[in-house]
Amino acid sequence: MEFWRQPDELRRSCERARQAGRRVGLVPTMGALHAGHLALIAEARRRADFVAVSVFVNPTQFGAGEDLARYPRTLDRDLAACREAGASGVFAPEAAAMYPPGEETRVRVGATAAPLCGAHRPAHFEGVATVVTKLFALAGPCVAVFGRKDYQQLQVIRRLAADLFLPVEVVGATTVREPDGLAMSSRNAYLSPEQRSAARAIPLALTEACRAFARGERRAAALLGPARARLAAVASSIDYVDLADPGSLAIWSDEAEIGGRALLAVAIRLGAARLIDNVVLGEDAPPIAGAAEGALT
């Protein structure tokens, strides 16, 4: 497995791979890798012959007072995990390599980035779009794999690649979950044992909505009300529990009647951890797929 610190090293390796007739895959991460990230690498390996994984805690996507300084950094462990998962190389630059002195360019995002997390983290998606554009420029024509847990991020990146005519196929991979349904996240490490137990309310709320939708419920208020109540009972605070159009991410009002598909997205805080999750009603399986109806407690 190759290891790159400098942007040009990644670019040259990807160019050599393509010259040798290999398809390049890219898996952008911020490190602290878990089974969800390894599933992204596996998906990239199914689609490409040369898979580059980036491990970079991107400073421009963190706002004032957020967890940039304490975000988990476990590079040695991440390198071992990437090697075991079959990655061709890992790109782990310093911040100064990605944002050299005098740099000033940012990628402006639009309506897809405005609601949900965008409303609560105003500069977040500009930072995401900027660093992803840099990674796409370095990797060149490739297939890039992102997790659907960060559904809005995935849609922003799809919009970015389409709008800028970037030679990148953007793939969304299914959310990987713990046995109790909680979406895997590097920020789960912030949770105390009590908070970790409380976090199960997230997949429970999403599962209840999935089952109500499957029974034919289409009133937004009836889908949102139980989810909001369940999360309010455990959360330190709630950023949003909303229904939105799965494509545009336009938020639907509580008075809306939902059609055949709807994104149900949540973001709550449990102590120091901000946790997000989602399901596309009418498309995704419930996070707790095997539990009996009465077991959702």
Side-chain angles (χ1 to χ4, degrees), residues 26-30 36-37 39-41 43-44 47 54 61 128-129 131-133 135-136 142-158 160-161 168-176:
L26 176 66
V27 181
T29 84
M30 292 206 302
H37 295 109
L40 302 183
I41 297 172
E43 183 64 29
R47 295 169 178 267
S54 66
Q61 69 188 68
V128 169
V131 76
V132 168
T133 300
L135 291 170
F136 285 176
C142 65
V143 54
V145 182
F146 297 84
R148 281 170 59 101
K149 179 180 76 71
D150 299 287
Y151 188 92
Q152 185 174 20
Q153 172 181 277
L154 174 63
Q155 294 303 98
V156 168
I157 292 167
R158 282 174 167 158
L160 162 77
V168 178
E169 179 189 355
V170 178
V171 172
T174 302
T175 301
V176 177

mmCIF file of all heavy atoms in Angstrom, residues 26-30 36-37 39-41 43-44 47 54 61 128-129 131-133 135-136 142-158 160-161 168-176:
data_model
loop_
_atom_site.group_PDB
_atom_site.id
_atom_site.type_symbol
_atom_site.label_atom_id
_atom_site.label_comp_id
_atom_site.label_asym_id
_atom_site.label_seq_id
_atom_site.Cartn_x
_atom_site.Cartn_y
_atom_site.Cartn_z
ATOM 1 N N LEU A 26 -11.856 6.553 -5.364
ATOM 2 C CA LEU A 26 -11.481 7.510 -4.321
ATOM 3 C C LEU A 26 -12.480 7.403 -3.176
ATOM 4 O O LEU A 26 -13.693 7.412 -3.398
ATOM 5 C CB LEU A 26 -11.486 8.936 -4.883
ATOM 6 C CG LEU A 26 -11.207 10.066 -3.889
ATOM 7 C CD1 LEU A 26 -9.775 9.996 -3.362
ATOM 8 C CD2 LEU A 26 -11.474 11.429 -4.541
ATOM 9 N N VAL A 27 -11.961 7.312 -1.951
ATOM 10 C CA VAL A 27 -12.803 7.291 -0.756
ATOM 11 C C VAL A 27 -12.331 8.412 0.172
ATOM 12 O O VAL A 27 -11.359 8.234 0.909
ATOM 13 C CB VAL A 27 -12.741 5.924 -0.037
ATOM 14 C CG1 VAL A 27 -13.648 5.941 1.195
ATOM 15 C CG2 VAL A 27 -13.130 4.793 -0.974
ATOM 16 N N PRO A 28 -12.981 9.571 0.139
ATOM 17 C CA PRO A 28 -12.582 10.660 1.038
ATOM 18 C C PRO A 28 -13.093 10.414 2.463
ATOM 19 O O PRO A 28 -14.275 10.111 2.666
ATOM 20 C CB PRO A 28 -13.258 11.897 0.426
ATOM 21 C CG PRO A 28 -13.603 11.500 -0.977
ATOM 22 C CD PRO A 28 -13.923 10.035 -0.882
ATOM 23 N N THR A 29 -12.214 10.536 3.464
ATOM 24 C CA THR A 29 -12.606 10.391 4.861
ATOM 25 C C THR A 29 -11.883 11.437 5.703
ATOM 26 O O THR A 29 -10.913 12.050 5.256
ATOM 27 C CB THR A 29 -12.261 8.992 5.430
ATOM 28 O OG1 THR A 29 -10.891 8.967 5.871
ATOM 29 C CG2 THR A 29 -12.488 7.885 4.410
ATOM 30 N N MET A 30 -12.358 11.568 6.947
ATOM 31 C CA MET A 30 -11.627 12.375 7.924
ATOM 32 C C MET A 30 -10.923 11.483 8.947
ATOM 33 O O MET A 30 -10.521 11.945 10.015
ATOM 34 C CB MET A 30 -12.555 13.371 8.622
ATOM 35 C CG MET A 30 -13.061 14.464 7.704
ATOM 36 S SD MET A 30 -13.501 15.999 8.532
ATOM 37 C CE MET A 30 -14.748 15.450 9.691
ATOM 38 N N GLY A 36 -18.036 1.350 8.878
ATOM 39 C CA GLY A 36 -18.711 2.077 7.817
ATOM 40 C C GLY A 36 -17.752 2.551 6.748
ATOM 41 O O GLY A 36 -18.023 2.452 5.544
ATOM 42 N N HIS A 37 -16.592 3.083 7.174
ATOM 43 C CA HIS A 37 -15.579 3.503 6.200
ATOM 44 C C HIS A 37 -15.040 2.309 5.415
ATOM 45 O O HIS A 37 -14.800 2.406 4.208
ATOM 46 C CB HIS A 37 -14.421 4.195 6.914
ATOM 47 C CG HIS A 37 -14.777 5.472 7.593
ATOM 48 N ND1 HIS A 37 -14.828 5.595 8.961
ATOM 49 C CD2 HIS A 37 -15.108 6.690 7.098
ATOM 50 C CE1 HIS A 37 -15.157 6.839 9.281
ATOM 51 N NE2 HIS A 37 -15.343 7.508 8.174
ATOM 52 N N ALA A 39 -16.580 -0.310 4.627
ATOM 53 C CA ALA A 39 -17.575 -0.679 3.619
ATOM 54 C C ALA A 39 -17.465 0.229 2.391
ATOM 55 O O ALA A 39 -17.695 -0.216 1.260
ATOM 56 C CB ALA A 39 -18.979 -0.601 4.208
ATOM 57 N N LEU A 40 -17.119 1.499 2.588
ATOM 58 C CA LEU A 40 -16.912 2.396 1.448
ATOM 59 C C LEU A 40 -15.708 1.940 0.626
ATOM 60 O O LEU A 40 -15.740 1.980 -0.615
ATOM 61 C CB LEU A 40 -16.685 3.829 1.931
ATOM 62 C CG LEU A 40 -17.773 4.471 2.787
ATOM 63 C CD1 LEU A 40 -17.412 5.923 3.111
ATOM 64 C CD2 LEU A 40 -19.130 4.410 2.105
ATOM 65 N N ILE A 41 -14.635 1.523 1.308
ATOM 66 C CA ILE A 41 -13.461 1.029 0.595
ATOM 67 C C ILE A 41 -13.828 -0.230 -0.189
ATOM 68 O O ILE A 41 -13.426 -0.401 -1.346
ATOM 69 C CB ILE A 41 -12.312 0.762 1.582
ATOM 70 C CG1 ILE A 41 -11.876 2.070 2.262
ATOM 71 C CG2 ILE A 41 -11.120 0.123 0.858
ATOM 72 C CD1 ILE A 41 -10.878 1.884 3.394
ATOM 73 N N GLU A 43 -16.743 -1.040 -1.378
ATOM 74 C CA GLU A 43 -17.553 -0.643 -2.537
ATOM 75 C C GLU A 43 -16.671 -0.065 -3.638
ATOM 76 O O GLU A 43 -16.859 -0.360 -4.828
ATOM 77 C CB GLU A 43 -18.609 0.375 -2.119
ATOM 78 C CG GLU A 43 -19.549 0.811 -3.229
ATOM 79 C CD GLU A 43 -20.400 -0.318 -3.763
ATOM 80 O OE1 GLU A 43 -20.701 -1.273 -3.011
ATOM 81 O OE2 GLU A 43 -20.782 -0.253 -4.954
ATOM 82 N N ALA A 44 -15.690 0.748 -3.252
ATOM 83 C CA ALA A 44 -14.769 1.309 -4.247
ATOM 84 C C ALA A 44 -13.966 0.200 -4.925
ATOM 85 O O ALA A 44 -13.728 0.249 -6.144
ATOM 86 C CB ALA A 44 -13.835 2.307 -3.580
ATOM 87 N N ARG A 47 -15.731 -1.406 -7.720
ATOM 88 C CA ARG A 47 -15.951 -0.561 -8.891
ATOM 89 C C ARG A 47 -14.656 -0.093 -9.549
ATOM 90 O O ARG A 47 -14.698 0.484 -10.645
ATOM 91 C CB ARG A 47 -16.776 0.666 -8.484
ATOM 92 C CG ARG A 47 -18.189 0.329 -8.021
ATOM 93 C CD ARG A 47 -18.865 1.531 -7.395
ATOM 94 N NE ARG A 47 -20.235 1.232 -7.000
ATOM 95 C CZ ARG A 47 -21.312 1.444 -7.745
ATOM 96 N NH1 ARG A 47 -21.177 1.972 -8.961
ATOM 97 N NH2 ARG A 47 -22.517 1.151 -7.313
ATOM 98 N N SER A 54 -8.445 9.010 1.269
ATOM 99 C CA SER A 54 -7.890 10.207 1.903
ATOM 100 C C SER A 54 -8.270 10.221 3.382
ATOM 101 O O SER A 54 -9.391 9.860 3.747
ATOM 102 C CB SER A 54 -8.366 11.486 1.211
ATOM 103 O OG SER A 54 -9.762 11.669 1.382
ATOM 104 N N GLN A 61 -14.391 22.981 6.980
ATOM 105 C CA GLN A 61 -15.789 22.574 7.151
ATOM 106 C C GLN A 61 -16.230 22.620 8.600
ATOM 107 O O GLN A 61 -17.353 22.235 8.912
ATOM 108 C CB GLN A 61 -16.025 21.191 6.559
ATOM 109 C CG GLN A 61 -15.367 20.037 7.270
ATOM 110 C CD GLN A 61 -15.500 18.735 6.500
ATOM 111 O OE1 GLN A 61 -14.912 18.569 5.414
ATOM 112 N NE2 GLN A 61 -16.277 17.804 7.025
ATOM 113 N N VAL A 128 -16.756 21.616 2.731
ATOM 114 C CA VAL A 128 -16.819 20.272 2.151
ATOM 115 C C VAL A 128 -16.619 20.343 0.638
ATOM 116 O O VAL A 128 -15.816 19.588 0.062
ATOM 117 C CB VAL A 128 -18.167 19.605 2.487
ATOM 118 C CG1 VAL A 128 -18.358 18.327 1.669
ATOM 119 C CG2 VAL A 128 -18.259 19.294 3.974
ATOM 120 N N ALA A 129 -17.347 21.235 -0.026
ATOM 121 C CA ALA A 129 -17.261 21.332 -1.477
ATOM 122 C C ALA A 129 -15.857 21.729 -1.925
ATOM 123 O O ALA A 129 -15.354 21.232 -2.942
ATOM 124 C CB ALA A 129 -18.287 22.348 -1.994
ATOM 125 N N VAL A 131 -12.874 21.161 -0.306
ATOM 126 C CA VAL A 131 -11.878 20.092 -0.157
ATOM 127 C C VAL A 131 -12.170 18.930 -1.104
ATOM 128 O O VAL A 131 -11.245 18.316 -1.659
ATOM 129 C CB VAL A 131 -11.792 19.616 1.305
ATOM 130 C CG1 VAL A 131 -12.961 18.717 1.696
ATOM 131 C CG2 VAL A 131 -10.459 18.910 1.557
ATOM 132 N N VAL A 132 -13.452 18.630 -1.354
ATOM 133 C CA VAL A 132 -13.775 17.544 -2.276
ATOM 134 C C VAL A 132 -13.368 17.921 -3.700
ATOM 135 O O VAL A 132 -12.861 17.077 -4.454
ATOM 136 C CB VAL A 132 -15.268 17.176 -2.181
ATOM 137 C CG1 VAL A 132 -15.684 16.255 -3.327
ATOM 138 C CG2 VAL A 132 -15.556 16.498 -0.847
ATOM 139 N N THR A 133 -13.560 19.169 -4.082
ATOM 140 C CA THR A 133 -13.110 19.612 -5.404
ATOM 141 C C THR A 133 -11.604 19.460 -5.538
ATOM 142 O O THR A 133 -11.097 19.014 -6.583
ATOM 143 C CB THR A 133 -13.532 21.065 -5.655
ATOM 144 O OG1 THR A 133 -14.951 21.164 -5.582
ATOM 145 C CG2 THR A 133 -13.081 21.541 -7.027
ATOM 146 N N LEU A 135 -9.735 17.260 -3.933
ATOM 147 C CA LEU A 135 -9.456 15.826 -4.035
ATOM 148 C C LEU A 135 -9.810 15.297 -5.419
ATOM 149 O O LEU A 135 -9.074 14.471 -5.986
ATOM 150 C CB LEU A 135 -10.228 15.072 -2.957
ATOM 151 C CG LEU A 135 -9.763 15.308 -1.516
ATOM 152 C CD1 LEU A 135 -10.753 14.702 -0.527
ATOM 153 C CD2 LEU A 135 -8.371 14.736 -1.288
ATOM 154 N N PHE A 136 -10.927 15.740 -5.982
ATOM 155 C CA PHE A 136 -11.301 15.317 -7.330
ATOM 156 C C PHE A 136 -10.254 15.790 -8.352
ATOM 157 O O PHE A 136 -9.929 15.072 -9.305
ATOM 158 C CB PHE A 136 -12.673 15.864 -7.708
ATOM 159 C CG PHE A 136 -13.833 15.159 -7.039
ATOM 160 C CD1 PHE A 136 -15.140 15.605 -7.239
ATOM 161 C CD2 PHE A 136 -13.643 14.062 -6.217
ATOM 162 C CE1 PHE A 136 -16.223 14.965 -6.643
ATOM 163 C CE2 PHE A 136 -14.718 13.412 -5.610
ATOM 164 C CZ PHE A 136 -16.009 13.869 -5.827
ATOM 165 N N CYS A 142 -12.392 9.372 -11.995
ATOM 166 C CA CYS A 142 -12.457 8.293 -11.000
ATOM 167 C C CYS A 142 -13.899 8.027 -10.612
ATOM 168 O O CYS A 142 -14.819 8.739 -11.030
ATOM 169 C CB CYS A 142 -11.646 8.672 -9.744
ATOM 170 S SG CYS A 142 -12.293 10.084 -8.822
ATOM 171 N N VAL A 143 -14.088 7.008 -9.770
ATOM 172 C CA VAL A 143 -15.347 6.780 -9.091
ATOM 173 C C VAL A 143 -15.105 7.101 -7.621
ATOM 174 O O VAL A 143 -14.152 6.599 -7.020
ATOM 175 C CB VAL A 143 -15.866 5.341 -9.286
ATOM 176 C CG1 VAL A 143 -14.834 4.300 -8.892
ATOM 177 C CG2 VAL A 143 -17.162 5.133 -8.534
ATOM 178 N N ALA A 144 -15.934 7.967 -7.037
ATOM 179 C CA ALA A 144 -15.772 8.397 -5.648
ATOM 180 C C ALA A 144 -16.949 7.900 -4.831
ATOM 181 O O ALA A 144 -18.104 8.062 -5.226
ATOM 182 C CB ALA A 144 -15.678 9.919 -5.569
ATOM 183 N N VAL A 145 -16.668 7.298 -3.679
ATOM 184 C CA VAL A 145 -17.696 6.653 -2.868
ATOM 185 C C VAL A 145 -17.870 7.413 -1.559
ATOM 186 O O VAL A 145 -16.891 7.671 -0.845
ATOM 187 C CB VAL A 145 -17.339 5.180 -2.586
ATOM 188 C CG1 VAL A 145 -18.455 4.504 -1.787
ATOM 189 C CG2 VAL A 145 -17.099 4.425 -3.891
ATOM 190 N N PHE A 146 -19.127 7.747 -1.261
ATOM 191 C CA PHE A 146 -19.490 8.456 -0.039
ATOM 192 C C PHE A 146 -20.628 7.707 0.641
ATOM 193 O O PHE A 146 -21.412 7.015 -0.012
ATOM 194 C CB PHE A 146 -19.951 9.888 -0.352
ATOM 195 C CG PHE A 146 -18.899 10.751 -0.973
ATOM 196 C CD1 PHE A 146 -18.673 10.719 -2.343
ATOM 197 C CD2 PHE A 146 -18.130 11.600 -0.192
ATOM 198 C CE1 PHE A 146 -17.695 11.511 -2.921
ATOM 199 C CE2 PHE A 146 -17.146 12.401 -0.767
ATOM 200 C CZ PHE A 146 -16.927 12.356 -2.132
ATOM 201 N N GLY A 147 -20.756 7.879 1.956
ATOM 202 C CA GLY A 147 -21.804 7.198 2.702
ATOM 203 C C GLY A 147 -23.118 7.950 2.664
ATOM 204 O O GLY A 147 -23.154 9.185 2.692
ATOM 205 N N ARG A 148 -24.213 7.207 2.625
ATOM 206 C CA ARG A 148 -25.534 7.814 2.621
ATOM 207 C C ARG A 148 -25.954 8.337 3.999
ATOM 208 O O ARG A 148 -26.956 9.049 4.102
ATOM 209 C CB ARG A 148 -26.578 6.816 2.108
ATOM 210 C CG ARG A 148 -26.592 6.697 0.584
ATOM 211 C CD ARG A 148 -27.469 5.530 0.129
ATOM 212 N NE ARG A 148 -28.844 5.671 0.574
ATOM 213 C CZ ARG A 148 -29.867 6.093 -0.183
ATOM 214 N NH1 ARG A 148 -29.650 6.448 -1.438
ATOM 215 N NH2 ARG A 148 -31.087 6.144 0.300
ATOM 216 N N LYS A 149 -25.218 7.995 5.061
ATOM 217 C CA LYS A 149 -25.535 8.603 6.356
ATOM 218 C C LYS A 149 -25.447 10.126 6.252
ATOM 219 O O LYS A 149 -26.268 10.837 6.810
ATOM 220 C CB LYS A 149 -24.577 8.112 7.445
ATOM 221 C CG LYS A 149 -24.856 8.759 8.817
ATOM 222 C CD LYS A 149 -23.902 8.274 9.883
ATOM 223 C CE LYS A 149 -22.548 8.918 9.744
ATOM 224 N NZ LYS A 149 -22.598 10.375 10.120
ATOM 225 N N ASP A 150 -24.445 10.603 5.516
ATOM 226 C CA ASP A 150 -24.305 12.038 5.241
ATOM 227 C C ASP A 150 -25.047 12.343 3.939
ATOM 228 O O ASP A 150 -24.440 12.723 2.928
ATOM 229 C CB ASP A 150 -22.829 12.412 5.148
ATOM 230 C CG ASP A 150 -22.083 12.137 6.447
ATOM 231 O OD1 ASP A 150 -22.288 12.881 7.411
ATOM 232 O OD2 ASP A 150 -21.317 11.154 6.496
ATOM 233 N N TYR A 151 -26.367 12.187 3.982
ATOM 234 C CA TYR A 151 -27.161 12.235 2.753
ATOM 235 C C TYR A 151 -27.083 13.606 2.088
ATOM 236 O O TYR A 151 -26.939 13.702 0.863
ATOM 237 C CB TYR A 151 -28.620 11.890 3.068
ATOM 238 C CG TYR A 151 -29.490 11.717 1.850
ATOM 239 C CD1 TYR A 151 -29.672 10.465 1.277
ATOM 240 C CD2 TYR A 151 -30.129 12.804 1.256
ATOM 241 C CE1 TYR A 151 -30.469 10.287 0.153
ATOM 242 C CE2 TYR A 151 -30.920 12.643 0.129
ATOM 243 C CZ TYR A 151 -31.088 11.388 -0.419
ATOM 244 O OH TYR A 151 -31.869 11.220 -1.549
ATOM 245 N N GLN A 152 -27.173 14.668 2.877
ATOM 246 C CA GLN A 152 -27.109 16.003 2.281
ATOM 247 C C GLN A 152 -25.735 16.251 1.660
ATOM 248 O O GLN A 152 -25.632 16.809 0.566
ATOM 249 C CB GLN A 152 -27.419 17.074 3.331
ATOM 250 C CG GLN A 152 -27.498 18.477 2.734
ATOM 251 C CD GLN A 152 -27.936 19.520 3.739
ATOM 252 O OE1 GLN A 152 -27.845 19.314 4.949
ATOM 253 N NE2 GLN A 152 -28.431 20.657 3.256
ATOM 254 N N GLN A 153 -24.686 15.825 2.341
ATOM 255 C CA GLN A 153 -23.349 15.951 1.771
ATOM 256 C C GLN A 153 -23.269 15.232 0.432
ATOM 257 O O GLN A 153 -22.714 15.759 -0.538
ATOM 258 C CB GLN A 153 -22.320 15.380 2.736
ATOM 259 C CG GLN A 153 -20.910 15.284 2.167
ATOM 260 C CD GLN A 153 -19.931 14.699 3.152
ATOM 261 O OE1 GLN A 153 -19.417 15.408 4.003
ATOM 262 N NE2 GLN A 153 -19.670 13.408 3.062
ATOM 263 N N LEU A 154 -23.813 14.024 0.371
ATOM 264 C CA LEU A 154 -23.807 13.259 -0.873
ATOM 265 C C LEU A 154 -24.509 14.024 -1.988
ATOM 266 O O LEU A 154 -24.005 14.095 -3.119
ATOM 267 C CB LEU A 154 -24.487 11.909 -0.635
ATOM 268 C CG LEU A 154 -24.706 11.011 -1.852
ATOM 269 C CD1 LEU A 154 -23.380 10.592 -2.475
ATOM 270 C CD2 LEU A 154 -25.528 9.778 -1.457
ATOM 271 N N GLN A 155 -25.659 14.621 -1.682
ATOM 272 C CA GLN A 155 -26.387 15.366 -2.716
ATOM 273 C C GLN A 155 -25.637 16.624 -3.139
ATOM 274 O O GLN A 155 -25.637 16.985 -4.325
ATOM 275 C CB GLN A 155 -27.783 15.723 -2.202
ATOM 276 C CG GLN A 155 -28.689 14.518 -1.963
ATOM 277 C CD GLN A 155 -28.870 13.666 -3.200
ATOM 278 O OE1 GLN A 155 -28.201 12.653 -3.357
ATOM 279 N NE2 GLN A 155 -29.763 14.069 -4.080
ATOM 280 N N VAL A 156 -24.999 17.295 -2.190
ATOM 281 C CA VAL A 156 -24.200 18.482 -2.524
ATOM 282 C C VAL A 156 -23.056 18.091 -3.459
ATOM 283 O O VAL A 156 -22.764 18.789 -4.451
ATOM 284 C CB VAL A 156 -23.666 19.146 -1.244
ATOM 285 C CG1 VAL A 156 -22.597 20.198 -1.561
ATOM 286 C CG2 VAL A 156 -24.806 19.779 -0.453
ATOM 287 N N ILE A 157 -22.402 16.978 -3.176
ATOM 288 C CA ILE A 157 -21.269 16.544 -3.998
ATOM 289 C C ILE A 157 -21.739 16.081 -5.370
ATOM 290 O O ILE A 157 -21.076 16.348 -6.387
ATOM 291 C CB ILE A 157 -20.471 15.463 -3.253
ATOM 292 C CG1 ILE A 157 -19.785 16.080 -2.033
ATOM 293 C CG2 ILE A 157 -19.443 14.806 -4.166
ATOM 294 C CD1 ILE A 157 -19.236 15.093 -1.055
ATOM 295 N N ARG A 158 -22.869 15.417 -5.433
ATOM 296 C CA ARG A 158 -23.416 15.050 -6.743
ATOM 297 C C ARG A 158 -23.708 16.299 -7.575
ATOM 298 O O ARG A 158 -23.428 16.354 -8.773
ATOM 299 C CB ARG A 158 -24.687 14.223 -6.562
ATOM 300 C CG ARG A 158 -24.429 12.767 -6.197
ATOM 301 C CD ARG A 158 -25.706 12.024 -5.899
ATOM 302 N NE ARG A 158 -25.494 10.574 -5.855
ATOM 303 C CZ ARG A 158 -26.273 9.727 -5.234
ATOM 304 N NH1 ARG A 158 -27.374 10.154 -4.612
ATOM 305 N NH2 ARG A 158 -26.008 8.434 -5.237
ATOM 306 N N LEU A 160 -22.298 19.240 -7.221
ATOM 307 C CA LEU A 160 -21.003 19.821 -7.540
ATOM 308 C C LEU A 160 -20.388 19.165 -8.764
ATOM 309 O O LEU A 160 -19.950 19.852 -9.713
ATOM 310 C CB LEU A 160 -20.086 19.645 -6.319
ATOM 311 C CG LEU A 160 -18.574 19.777 -6.508
ATOM 312 C CD1 LEU A 160 -18.216 21.243 -6.614
ATOM 313 C CD2 LEU A 160 -17.814 19.145 -5.358
ATOM 314 N N ALA A 161 -20.347 17.826 -8.772
ATOM 315 C CA ALA A 161 -19.727 17.119 -9.893
ATOM 316 C C ALA A 161 -20.481 17.383 -11.196
ATOM 317 O O ALA A 161 -19.870 17.557 -12.259
ATOM 318 C CB ALA A 161 -19.670 15.625 -9.596
ATOM 319 N N VAL A 168 -16.072 12.563 -12.629
ATOM 320 C CA VAL A 168 -16.147 11.729 -11.433
ATOM 321 C C VAL A 168 -17.538 11.114 -11.347
ATOM 322 O O VAL A 168 -18.542 11.824 -11.433
ATOM 323 C CB VAL A 168 -15.865 12.554 -10.157
ATOM 324 C CG1 VAL A 168 -15.989 11.678 -8.918
ATOM 325 C CG2 VAL A 168 -14.477 13.189 -10.229
ATOM 326 N N GLU A 169 -17.596 9.802 -11.163
ATOM 327 C CA GLU A 169 -18.851 9.121 -10.848
ATOM 328 C C GLU A 169 -19.006 9.104 -9.330
ATOM 329 O O GLU A 169 -18.174 8.516 -8.632
ATOM 330 C CB GLU A 169 -18.849 7.698 -11.386
ATOM 331 C CG GLU A 169 -20.127 6.929 -11.054
ATOM 332 C CD GLU A 169 -20.061 5.458 -11.400
ATOM 333 O OE1 GLU A 169 -19.041 5.020 -11.989
ATOM 334 O OE2 GLU A 169 -21.027 4.733 -11.077
ATOM 335 N N VAL A 170 -20.038 9.745 -8.822
ATOM 336 C CA VAL A 170 -20.262 9.836 -7.380
ATOM 337 C C VAL A 170 -21.244 8.751 -6.973
ATOM 338 O O VAL A 170 -22.374 8.699 -7.459
ATOM 339 C CB VAL A 170 -20.788 11.228 -6.983
ATOM 340 C CG1 VAL A 170 -21.054 11.293 -5.483
ATOM 341 C CG2 VAL A 170 -19.782 12.312 -7.394
ATOM 342 N N VAL A 171 -20.819 7.881 -6.057
ATOM 343 C CA VAL A 171 -21.609 6.724 -5.621
ATOM 344 C C VAL A 171 -21.967 6.894 -4.151
ATOM 345 O O VAL A 171 -21.116 7.246 -3.328
ATOM 346 C CB VAL A 171 -20.815 5.411 -5.823
ATOM 347 C CG1 VAL A 171 -21.550 4.227 -5.190
ATOM 348 C CG2 VAL A 171 -20.570 5.171 -7.306
ATOM 349 N N GLY A 172 -23.225 6.648 -3.816
ATOM 350 C CA GLY A 172 -23.668 6.660 -2.426
ATOM 351 C C GLY A 172 -23.808 5.246 -1.906
ATOM 352 O O GLY A 172 -24.525 4.438 -2.492
ATOM 353 N N ALA A 173 -23.116 4.936 -0.806
ATOM 354 C CA ALA A 173 -23.137 3.592 -0.231
ATOM 355 C C ALA A 173 -24.056 3.553 0.982
ATOM 356 O O ALA A 173 -24.167 4.524 1.739
ATOM 357 C CB ALA A 173 -21.726 3.158 0.171
ATOM 358 N N THR A 174 -24.704 2.423 1.176
ATOM 359 C CA THR A 174 -25.670 2.233 2.252
ATOM 360 C C THR A 174 -25.042 2.474 3.618
ATOM 361 O O THR A 174 -23.892 2.089 3.873
ATOM 362 C CB THR A 174 -26.231 0.793 2.201
ATOM 363 O OG1 THR A 174 -26.828 0.596 0.920
ATOM 364 C CG2 THR A 174 -27.259 0.557 3.286
ATOM 365 N N THR A 175 -25.786 3.108 4.507
ATOM 366 C CA THR A 175 -25.325 3.364 5.868
ATOM 367 C C THR A 175 -25.069 2.057 6.603
ATOM 368 O O THR A 175 -25.893 1.146 6.581
ATOM 369 C CB THR A 175 -26.380 4.180 6.638
ATOM 370 O OG1 THR A 175 -26.605 5.412 5.939
ATOM 371 C CG2 THR A 175 -25.932 4.472 8.063
ATOM 372 N N VAL A 176 -23.924 1.978 7.255
ATOM 373 C CA VAL A 176 -23.579 0.805 8.069
ATOM 374 C C VAL A 176 -23.957 1.119 9.511
ATOM 375 O O VAL A 176 -23.645 2.197 10.038
ATOM 376 C CB VAL A 176 -22.090 0.463 7.955
ATOM 377 C CG1 VAL A 176 -21.722 -0.706 8.869
ATOM 378 C CG2 VAL A 176 -21.734 0.137 6.505
#
